[in-house]
Amino acid sequence: MTVKVTYSEPYVPALESWGIGIIPKHVFGGAKGNAFNEHPANKKPVGTGPYIFKEWRVDEKIVLEANPKYFDGRPHIARYIFRVIPDNSVEFLELRNKSIDTMLLTPDQYHAYEEFFESYNRYRLPRAVYTYFAFNLARPLFKDIKIRKALAHAINKSELVQAVVMGLGSEATGPFLPLSWAYNPAVKDFECDPELAKSILAEAGWLDSDSDGVLDKGGKPFEFTLITNQGNKMRSLSAEIIQQQLKKAGIRMHIRIIEWSTFIQNFVDKKDFDAMILGWTTAPDPDQFSIWHSSQKKEGQFNFISYENARVDAILEEGRRTFDLEKRKKLYQEMHRIVHDDLPYIFLYYPDYLPVVHERFEGMRQVPLSTFGFGWNFDKWYVREKNVKYPVINKDL
Amino acid sequence: MMIPLLLGITLMTFFIMQLAPGKPTDLVTDLNTRMSSEAREKLVKLYELDRPWHERYWKWLKRMSRLDFGTSFRDGRPVIKKIAESLPATLLLNILSLILIFTAALAIGIFSAVKKDSLFDKISTFFVYLGFSVPTFWVALLLMIGLGLKLGLLPISGLRSIHYSDLSAWRKFLDMSAHLVLPVFVMALTGLAGLARYSRSAMLEVIRQDYVRTARAKGLPERTVILKHAFRNALIPIVTLLGLMLPELIGGSFIFETIFAYPGMGRLGYDAIMARDYPMLMGIGTIVALLTLAGNLLADLLYAFCDPRIRYQ
């Protein structure tokens, strides 16, 4: 069967945006609108994948069983139980108790005593996420690129990587992952140099005239407020470390941590902030039109920092229409350089993806595809007969 | 009396819900770079979030009068079904810990009142305060490490084992009981302190009364004096506390349910708040209000049982 979609103009990320589960007609019976949304089959998905949905106990577990009719052969692991454990430290205890086989680790758990992992293998992969420090370019304080440059020189990213993700991550220079073809390896980061930061600020007229340790200009101290959302320990920790780093350069930064909905609704959407720390999840396709294009500045859109660069606009428009990979690569690598040099964000770091799996599982293959590079061949994972922990009682599986 | 009270509670819940920033659609649309603003508006329209709040409340109330709680925004399933799935687990946890709290607190209270200033009194006071002062999530984690991980006596979290469905009925019962020990115990720990102190002071108060001295003067055995004459009178203020504790326990159970990965209503409610799932929140609000009112009614009935002078017309 062929599905044909017609676009009024070329749109390269189209294929990626069409990822959607199968909606079998014999199950849904052509339900539309609300009847579709509320259809019980939404809770009992029927598809063509390696596993068949068996049971879902809300807030408790989801059970999947191997699909004997899977096109690539029945998966080796007969049953997959996904347990819901809301508290991360309890989840880790269950792992130590060997009652769960896999979980995602936080950086400090990854560095826990070796005895915790005696029957487990830890993995470390890049993750399709980066954390950034964003300037509100509409604020007079940050309009001048010199000021932003001074801050970029005052921040020590390697210290952030060491302290926040405990070395399990890497410094970022732009909006693309290092393993993406859009990444420009030639982009050199601003080196950390608090003295240079101070001299740049002095050139712009910011001096510590009353010697209280905080720079001032025209009687006003250099201070601003950084916001981030509640519940993300890595972000609040980054904020505290940056606060100390900027203090050394004579800048006073206040931190406000705000509950997610309020954060988005009252501060980000309304563009009511000086600076913030947040993260973006990146898709495999490098198109980031909605984040950087100057037409995306309305309330609730994602260019909430009011970034505007004619060349970046042109690249974003061109990049969506160009199918030639070599040409696209050139475009996005150029954009990487411009966005780095323009400093709308200070790109901070990429945290790593840290899964842990019981050692009896074999056959996993990793590919350099960020998060998707792990577990993609789960249907080919297997456990040797002598190592089986949970024998399947129901033999017809 | 109860109907207007219930109406007032739902009105307040609905109103306060609207004051909180954010919409149910935010979870899907917030910072989702692949979502256009048209798609967002469509979602808002679908859930009728563009209508004024009193209009929506009226609609909710009309549906409620037919006992229709609506469907959850998050997964489109009927609210009443989701509550029915999780309420029994929460009630089980609460009732068990309530029973534990009462038996333990009354026993400790009576004993330390009768043997005032004895070694038992001092030790029990110390431990009861200790249990009250330490953070419960910390106690929970310590017990999980000690009893679950190191000694392997009890399961760490959840309500059922993974192979639960393969077990015989008796094994199922044992499996669930083992899972319940830690949450019930930890939950009882917080409620215990206050109640034990209350029953101790209520008991001390009563023991000094004339009728207790009379009972003793009549030559009744000490056991009868304490348990029959003193204890029943000391129960009255404690019953008042029972009515107050029920909603507190249900509200507090969300913490325990989260720590112990326990599939109950507290977690359902917490997730609904975070997702601004209005129909779900209203459903849970109404059920909790009903339970609170039922708790108060229960306390009133117990009054009459404890104190024959109280009669309801």
Side-chain angles (χ1 to χ4, degrees):
Chain A
M1 193 179 81
T2 312
V3 178
K4 206 167 173 182
V5 185
T6 312
Y7 279 76
S8 55
E9 55 179 289
Y11 180 57
V12 183
L15 191 62
E16 199 179 288
S17 73
W18 277 94
I20 183 173
I22 286 179
I23 302 161
K25 196 176 174 186
H26 69 279
V27 177
F28 281 88
K32 279 194 186 77
N34 247 359
F36 174 77
N37 285 334
E38 287 164 19
H39 200 284
N42 281 316
K43 265 209 88 188
K44 293 191 183 79
V46 175
T48 56
Y51 282 87
I52 298 172
F53 173 87
K54 263 274 121 56
E55 187 192 10
W56 177 3
R57 277 182 185 270
V58 178
D59 284 342
E60 208 176 333
K61 63 174 181 181
I62 293 171
V63 182
L64 306 177
E65 271 171 8
N67 178 5
K69 291 186 206 145
Y70 186 52
F71 85 99
D72 206 14
R74 189 192 82 109
H76 302 306
I77 295 166
R79 194 182 284 161
Y80 183 99
I81 301 175
F82 181 90
R83 258 197 76 187
V84 183
I85 305 173
D87 188 273
N88 182 261
S89 19
V90 174
E91 192 184 4
F92 194 50
L93 280 184
E94 291 280 15
L95 185 87
R96 284 181 60 190
N97 200 27
K98 300 186 180 123
S99 37
I100 58 176
D101 288 320
T102 178
M103 72 178 275
L104 279 186
L105 299 172
T106 61
D108 48 336
Q109 287 170 345
Y110 188 92
H111 284 306
Y113 302 113
E114 286 302 321
E115 58 172 278
F116 290 6
F117 301 109
E118 54 189 16
S119 330
Y120 289 87
N121 292 320
R122 277 167 289 177
Y123 296 86
R124 187 181 162 190
L125 294 98
R127 174 186 225 153
V129 167
Y130 68 87
T131 303
Y132 59 88
F133 175 108
F135 295 104
N136 186 347
L137 302 174
R139 290 277 152 106
L141 182 63
F142 295 129
K143 270 217 166 97
D144 186 355
I145 185 161
K146 281 203 208 104
I147 303 288
R148 305 201 296 271
K149 217 170 233 163
L151 262 73
H153 282 298
I155 289 176
N156 183 346
K157 288 185 194 173
S158 76
E159 196 176 284
L160 278 175
V161 171
Q162 282 312 315
V164 179
V165 291
M166 302 178 91
L168 298 166
S170 47
E171 296 168 35
T173 62
F176 306 118
L177 291 190
L179 53 82
S180 161
W181 47 262
Y183 184 84
N184 186 347
V187 173
K188 279 277 160 288
D189 210 358
F190 303 97
E191 78 260 40
C192 165
D193 187 347
E195 289 313 310
L196 180 62
K198 264 189 181 164
S199 68
I200 295 174
L201 288 170
E203 262 172 57
W206 290 96
L207 293 159
D208 188 8
S209 56
D210 52 3
S211 47
D212 63 345
V214 181
L215 302 176
D216 51 81
K217 181 179 174 182
K220 271 196 185 150
F222 195 123
E223 62 178 345
F224 66 95
T225 304
L226 174 122
I227 60 170
T228 192
N229 67 297
Q230 199 176 50
N232 189 314
K233 214 176 117 202
M234 286 194 198
R235 286 179 198 157
S236 54
L237 200 58
S238 307
E240 283 161 30
I241 293 168
I242 289 174
Q243 186 180 42
Q244 291 306 313
Q245 292 174 347
L246 293 183
K247 203 175 156 190
K248 284 184 198 138
I251 296 164
R252 187 187 285 156
M253 185 182 98
H254 306 280
I255 301 173
R256 250 188 101 181
I257 294 175
I258 306 161
E259 186 259 343
W260 179 257
S261 288
T262 319
F263 176 74
I264 296 298
Q265 209 88 18
N266 298 2
F267 295 89
V268 177
D269 282 357
K270 299 234 158 65
K271 299 175 188 169
D272 185 12
F273 62 92
D274 299 330
M276 71 166 136
I277 291 183
L278 209 62
W280 282 120
T281 304
T282 59
D285 192 277
D287 176 47
Q288 295 185 1
F289 187 88
S290 49
I291 300 176
W292 304 106
H293 198 274
S294 62
S295 67
Q296 305 295 309
K297 292 190 293 197
K298 286 192 270 304
E299 184 174 332
Q301 289 183 320
F302 304 119
N303 184 358
F304 34 70
I305 55 163
S306 310
Y307 180 62
E308 210 172 328
N309 182 311
R311 180 61 195 146
V312 170
D313 281 359
I315 290 174
L316 287 166
E317 288 158 27
E318 182 81 24
R320 299 183 135 186
R321 283 196 297 259
T322 310
F323 282 90
D324 182 334
L325 189 66
E326 273 312 306
K327 276 188 196 151
R328 279 193 96 197
K329 187 173 165 176
K330 248 191 206 136
L331 286 171
Y332 285 112
Q333 290 201 342
E334 184 189 347
M335 180 184 138
H336 181 168
R337 165 159 312 279
I338 300 172
V339 172
H340 172 264
D341 292 350
D342 267 354
L343 272 168
Y345 291 175
I346 299 175
F347 298 92
L348 299 175
Y349 54 84
Y350 312 103
D352 283 341
Y353 184 72
L354 307 168
V356 58
V357 182
H358 194 276
E359 63 184 7
R360 70 180 192 279
F361 294 97
E362 295 176 63
M364 48 259 280
R365 276 176 51 208
Q366 294 173 55
V367 287
L369 251 177
S370 83
T371 335
F372 302 102
F374 190 79
W376 62 277
N377 73 333
F378 182 77
D379 56 309
K380 296 286 174 263
W381 291 17
Y382 62 90
V383 178
R384 280 171 208 274
E385 195 121 26
K386 61 175 167 64
N387 296 336
V388 167
K389 188 174 174 191
Y390 305 109
V392 176
I393 292 163
N394 189 351
K395 279 290 177 208
D396 57 60
L397 271 172
Chain B
M1 221 0 247
M2 268 164 95
I3 301 283
L5 204 56
L6 200 60
L7 275 182
I9 293 171
T10 59
L11 184 68
M12 289 287 284
T13 316
F14 203 93
F15 180 66
I16 292 171
M17 217 166 58
Q18 307 300 321
L19 289 181
K23 290 189 296 294
T25 52
D26 290 351
L27 266 194
V28 196
T29 59
D30 267 354
L31 298 187
N32 182 347
T33 52
R34 297 284 188 263
M35 189 111 183
S36 68
S37 39
E38 293 84 26
R40 264 199 261 186
E41 267 160 43
K42 259 190 198 158
L43 261 182
V44 166
K45 272 237 160 63
L46 179 71
Y47 292 126
E48 304 184 330
L49 297 172
D50 47 346
R51 320 291 314 157
W53 75 272
H54 48 86
E55 204 173 297
R56 279 183 286 141
Y57 177 68
W58 184 241
K59 247 185 135 169
W60 180 83
L61 207 58
K62 274 203 290 200
R63 268 194 289 122
M64 249 303 284
S65 62
R66 301 190 306 266
L67 288 179
D68 174 8
F69 282 90
T71 53
S72 160
F73 283 163
R74 276 178 82 202
D75 52 11
R77 299 180 59 226
V79 166
I80 198 72
K81 236 182 159 168
K82 290 183 80 172
I83 293 179
E85 278 167 5
S86 58
L87 186 62
T90 297
L91 281 182
L92 181 69
L93 183 62
N94 278 287
I95 289 169
L96 284 178
S97 52
L98 210 58
I99 292 173
L100 184 63
I101 289 174
F102 265 77
T103 42
L106 289 179
I108 294 173
I110 293 170
F111 214 74
S112 42
V114 174
K115 305 246 188 268
K116 192 169 169 276
D117 294 329
S118 67
L119 190 64
F120 173 82
D121 185 22
K122 281 180 185 139
I123 291 177
S124 69
T125 308
F126 174 77
F127 276 105
V128 157
Y129 269 113
L130 194 71
F132 185 64
S133 326
V134 291
T136 35
F137 68 89
W138 181 74
V139 176
L141 283 176
L142 278 192
L143 288 174
M144 281 177 189
I145 293 173
L147 295 175
L149 198 63
K150 297 275 179 219
L151 299 176
L153 291 176
L154 295 169
I156 293 174
S157 67
L159 178 60
R160 284 171 268 250
S161 292
I162 282 188
H163 55 287
Y164 182 80
S165 48
D166 302 334
L167 297 175
S168 64
W170 171 244
R171 289 260 165 205
K172 274 183 183 168
F173 173 76
L174 284 184
D175 183 61
M176 238 165 136
S177 312
H179 278 90
L180 276 165
V181 173
L182 280 184
V184 168
F185 178 74
V186 174
M187 205 163 160
L189 211 58
T190 30
L192 188 65
L195 206 66
R197 298 303 291 169
Y198 264 110
S199 57
R200 180 179 177 268
S201 62
M203 201 62 195
L204 280 177
E205 185 83 11
V206 173
I207 283 178
R208 271 187 247 119
Q209 298 293 325
D210 288 342
Y211 56 80
V212 173
R213 197 182 313 141
T214 317
R216 284 203 179 111
K218 278 199 294 187
L220 287 177
E222 187 64 12
R223 210 189 146 74
T224 322
V225 175
I226 297 296
L227 290 184
K228 212 163 171 194
H229 293 257
F231 178 59
R232 251 181 104 166
N233 285 295
L235 261 182
I236 296 167
I238 295 164
V239 166
T240 319
L241 275 177
L242 170 77
L244 293 174
M245 267 174 77
L246 202 67
E248 204 179 299
L249 270 180
I250 291 174
S253 61
F254 120 69
I255 302 172
F256 303 106
E257 288 178 7
T258 308
I259 299 177
F260 287 103
Y262 191 90
M265 206 175 65
R267 258 173 72 203
L268 197 66
Y270 180 73
D271 291 343
I273 292 173
M274 284 309 166
R276 305 286 192 268
D277 187 349
Y278 296 154
M280 198 65 230
L281 265 176
M282 287 307 291
I284 291 176
T286 314
I287 296 289
V288 172
L290 271 175
L291 284 176
T292 309
L293 294 175
N296 285 334
L297 187 69
L298 185 70
D300 284 347
L301 292 176
L302 281 175
Y303 271 142
F305 169 75
C306 297
D307 187 349
R309 285 168 301 178
I310 300 175
R311 282 283 171 268
Y312 299 104
Q313 297 285 308

